[in-house]
Amino acid sequence: MAKKEDLVFNTNEDVNKLLVTDLNKKLEKVYLGGGKKRIEKHHSKGKLTARERIDYLLDKDANRIEIGAFAGDEMYEEHGGCPSGGVVGVMGYVSGKQCLVVANDATVKAGAWFPITGKKNLRFQEIAIENKLPIIYLVDSAGVFLPMQDEIFPDKEHFGRIFRNNAIMSSMGITQISAIMGSCVAGGAYLPIMSDEAMIVDKTGSIFLAGSYLVKAAIGESVDNETLGGATTHCEISGVTDYKCKDDKDCLDRIKNIMGKIGESNKAGFNRIKSQKPQLDENEIYGILPDAREKPYDVKDIILRLVDDSEFEEYKEEYGKTIVCGYARVDGWSVGIVANQRKVVKSKKGEMQFGGVIYSDSADKSARFIMNCNQKKIPLVFLQDVSGFMVGSRSEHGGIIKDGAKMVSAQANSVVPKFTIIIGNSYGAGNYAMCGKAYDPRLIVAWPSAQLAVMSGAAAAKTLLQIEVASLKAKGEEITEEREKELYSNIKNRYDKQISPYYAAARLWTDAIIDPIDTRKWISMGIEAANHAPIEKPYNVGVIQT
């Protein structure tokens, strides 16, 4: 294990801290939403911004995590961009109750829904449904962004799915509270009214199926928006809303009062004792994680700085060494950890195995361990730094596909909650086996050092280069060495952008990019959320070839 005074440790530390600094700078920009001028305009109307509303609503000095902050990053630039997808979502506590708060950011295109906005809102509802968590909607939106309506309106996972989920959550007994704090128009009007309770802010909140201009065009009636769908109309005449609030803070205070009166739900019963900090310094993670992804390190050095009291009970320590499995606690919660081992190790037969690669023995061990955690009702934490499964005749003859399928099946059918942390590489089928987004982790986050792709940038660029060169030669073009280098550079630069953690976070392939030091908080809050939802089905992996 590297020491603080080692040159390698210091180099690693510098590189990883710079990545975190870059992350924080990007977040500062994201937090401005539509920019300072639009924020000032928002304030001039007597309204708080989406983030200010959430900050006022959530309990002070309590943990909170923001989900999807980078949604829409560098997307829709032809339309002026869409920071955070035009909607802010945080898991936190209101009057001591853990919940999700989702707020339209009206400084971004008046809170209009882009395709990524719909995907992000559906992700919040998915989290609420999986964990039976209360969800609070702070509505301030102009509705669907019309220039892209074909990508947000008609499909199964588009805008309409939101209201379907409102109904499903209500039938499940999941609390939904809505506050109409600005515009709420057309189909979007159904979201707050399909919630359990809805409140509206006087003079700034409005809700209607069609605004005054459309009403005039459609039926010739002249009416102002306040008369059409303001607070007085819906609290005194239509009865559509339940509470009339004088301003944003009054509205948010009412939500706090309601949340403070909600009764306790049944729990899943995950094991938790008093939390202990790791004995080993968490900040040393920056110096342990290599400055280049091809360099080895011992993942157990990372684990011991993430778990309570730095205690880790390793499972099958001498078998299947390219994956480390074992029991630990995170913030008092019992967890089972499955982590890719990046250092070169010896197999049970004395053969050298590459770090970060899944071999048959490590897949077999992981499958058994995952089954054990399900048997014992222990949540699973996956620490990904994986290059994929081992290839070649020896692996194929040894049944690598069968053993890999066993691991994937055991993991995919898991009934205990799963949480995925992408530390470094997340390539190919290794992403799937280690509980990538397609395998329903309750939360999935990446460190700034992460990369997600079918294969590494260098490997992909070489493969694509061969195809490109062959195509050009077939057209009669002569490829010089300089031209080949130019082609390789262009291909690799394009591919490297796509494997960036920010590219993944922009598309919600991950829920967040986080400082490694925040990993314990994310896992702990995730398990606490999952504990609201009792396990309702038995663990059954189906058919597995042994």
Side-chain angles (χ1 to χ4, degrees):
M1 183 176 67
K3 304 294 183 183
K4 286 186 177 181
E5 61 271 15
D6 287 350
L7 179 60
V8 171
F9 183 98
N10 292 333
T11 302
N12 292 343
E13 186 177 46
D14 288 345
V15 168
N16 287 304
K17 284 189 173 181
L18 280 172
L19 288 175
V20 171
T21 298
D22 189 45
L23 166 65
N24 291 331
K25 286 180 179 178
K26 289 177 182 290
L27 284 171
E28 285 177 11
K29 185 178 179 181
V30 163
Y31 293 159
L32 290 174
K36 292 181 179 180
K37 287 186 178 179
R38 289 181 183 171
I39 290 173
E40 289 169 4
K41 186 177 180 180
H42 200 75
H43 285 161
S44 70
K45 299 176 183 177
K47 299 165 68 174
L48 300 173
T49 65
R51 293 182 187 279
E52 288 168 343
R53 288 166 176 167
I54 292 174
D55 189 59
Y56 183 86
L57 181 61
L58 292 178
D59 295 349
K60 303 297 179 285
D61 301 320
N63 279 338
R64 62 182 69 176
I65 52 177
E66 181 172 350
I67 295 164
F70 286 109
D73 184 51
E74 296 188 359
M75 296 169 66
Y76 315 119
E77 292 185 341
E78 69 276 20
H79 297 295
C82 188
S84 281
V87 62
V88 183
V90 176
M91 182 186 290
Y93 303 84
V94 175
S95 300
K97 301 289 192 304
Q98 191 179 25
C99 61
L100 289 165
V101 184
V102 184
N104 298 113
D105 186 350
T107 71
V108 179
K109 297 291 183 184
W113 287 56
F114 283 70
I116 197 66
T117 316
K119 186 174 182 178
K120 187 171 176 178
N121 275 273
L122 287 170
R123 175 61 177 146
F124 296 137
Q125 290 186 322
E126 179 184 41
I127 292 170
I129 290 169
E130 285 181 329
N131 300 290
K132 292 185 168 57
L133 273 188
I135 186 166
I136 298 166
Y137 307 100
L138 307 180
V139 184
D140 194 346
S141 170
V144 167
F145 184 64
L146 289 177
M148 302 189 74
Q149 64 85 27
D150 60 322
E151 297 182 48
I152 180 62
F153 172 67
D155 209 348
K156 180 179 179 180
E157 298 297 328
H158 281 179
F159 193 56
R161 189 76 170 181
I162 304 290
F163 319 127
R164 175 264 188 193
N165 287 349
N166 288 142
I168 295 298
M169 285 191 282
S170 183
S171 73
M172 295 173 66
I174 297 171
T175 297
Q176 299 175 83
I177 300 172
S178 285
I180 302 158
M181 309 182 81
S183 297
C184 185
V185 299
Y190 288 103
L191 184 147
I193 308 312
M194 292 188 74
S195 299
D196 303 332
E197 296 182 89
M199 54 201 69
I200 185 169
V201 179
D202 194 23
K203 300 298 186 289
T204 56
S206 60
I207 178 170
F208 32 63
L209 293 182
S212 56
Y213 292 121
L214 185 54
V215 167
K216 178 70 174 176
I219 64 173
E221 180 185 1
S222 296
V223 61
D224 64 88
N225 283 339
E226 183 64 25
T227 303
L228 188 65
T232 299
T233 294
H234 286 309
C235 289
E236 299 179 23
I237 301 174
S238 72
V240 166
T241 52
D242 306 309
Y243 305 93
K244 183 179 181 181
C245 309
K246 64 180 182 181
D247 56 27
D248 278 12
K249 289 186 177 180
D250 179 42
C251 184
L252 297 168
D253 285 335
R254 286 173 184 264
I255 295 174
K256 292 180 184 181
N257 292 336
I258 294 170
M259 287 293 293
K261 295 176 177 65
I262 295 175
E264 289 294 328
S265 60
N266 294 330
K267 303 294 183 185
F270 300 125
N271 185 287
R272 192 182 196 185
I273 62 174
K274 185 179 178 181
S275 175
Q276 296 185 61
K277 290 184 177 180
Q279 282 193 15
L280 299 176
D281 187 358
E282 292 175 77
N283 289 288
E284 290 179 354
I285 290 172
Y286 300 124
I288 294 166
L289 195 66
D291 62 338
R293 61 193 58 258
E294 66 273 7
K295 294 181 180 179
Y297 66 95
D298 191 340
V299 74
K300 284 184 266 189
D301 290 337
I302 301 285
I303 292 171
L304 294 177
R305 287 160 176 80
L306 293 176
V307 301
D308 288 15
D309 204 32
S310 298
E311 287 189 354
F312 179 64
E313 190 169 354
E314 190 169 354
Y315 175 79
K316 291 185 181 289
E317 183 177 358
E318 298 302 321
Y319 178 76
K321 294 181 181 181
T322 64
I323 292 184
V324 172
C325 300
Y327 303 106
R329 290 188 182 274
V330 174
D331 197 26
W333 293 104
S334 170
V335 297
I337 294 175
V338 181
N340 299 111
Q341 177 59 282
R342 288 296 303 182
K343 70 176 186 178
V344 177
V345 298
K346 280 188 178 181
S347 73
K348 62 183 182 291
K349 297 177 181 178
E351 300 162 343
M352 301 307 294
Q353 294 183 339
F354 297 106
V357 178
I358 302 176
Y359 290 78
S360 285
D361 54 358
S362 50
D364 175 68
K365 176 177 79 171
S366 301
R368 179 63 181 266
F369 180 73
I370 290 166
M371 293 177 195
N372 282 344
C373 287
N374 276 271
Q375 182 81 359
K376 297 175 176 66
K377 205 159 75 169
I378 299 173
L380 285 159
V381 174
F382 292 84
L383 302 180
Q384 279 197 17
D385 194 348
V386 58
S387 302
F389 284 86
M390 191 58 191
V391 297
S393 60
R394 179 177 294 182
S395 292
E396 298 294 356
H397 295 170
I400 185 66
I401 297 175
K402 176 184 66 178
D403 291 317
K406 186 192 305 181
M407 179 181 176
V408 170
S409 183
Q411 181 265 106
N413 284 292
S414 180
V415 295
V416 296
K418 301 174 291 187
F419 303 89
T420 302
I421 318 297
I422 305 173
I423 292 175
N425 301 333
S426 181
Y427 296 154
N431 169 283
Y432 302 159
M434 292 294 293
C435 196
K437 184 65 180 287
Y439 291 82
D440 299 322
R442 297 292 176 97
L443 293 171
I444 176 170
V445 298
W447 289 0
S449 48
Q451 286 189 354
L452 289 81
V454 172
M455 61 182 75
S456 71
K462 289 175 183 176
T463 303
L464 292 169
L465 177 65
Q466 291 176 38
I467 297 169
E468 181 80 6
V469 168
S471 175
L472 292 172
K473 285 182 177 179
K475 295 175 183 177
E477 186 172 332
E478 184 180 343
I479 305 298
T480 64
E481 186 177 339
E482 290 74 19
R483 174 68 170 143
E484 189 168 318
K485 286 180 180 179
E486 181 187 352
L487 287 170
Y488 175 81
S489 179
N490 291 338
I491 292 169
K492 189 173 185 304
N493 288 340
R494 184 173 68 248
Y495 196 87
D496 282 346
K497 182 179 180 181
Q498 294 179 359
I499 66 180
S500 159
Y502 294 97
Y503 191 91
R507 289 151 182 81
L508 291 173
W509 301 342
T510 61
D511 291 316
I513 303 171
I514 67 169
D515 186 332
I517 303 304
D518 290 332
T519 303
R520 281 170 54 85
K521 178 173 71 173
W522 275 80
I523 294 170
S524 177
M525 288 192 70
I527 298 176
E528 183 181 353
N531 201 39
H532 288 85
I535 296 172
E536 296 174 348
K537 69 173 186 176
Y539 182 57
N540 184 350
V541 296
V543 177
I544 291 183
Q545 294 189 24
T546 58

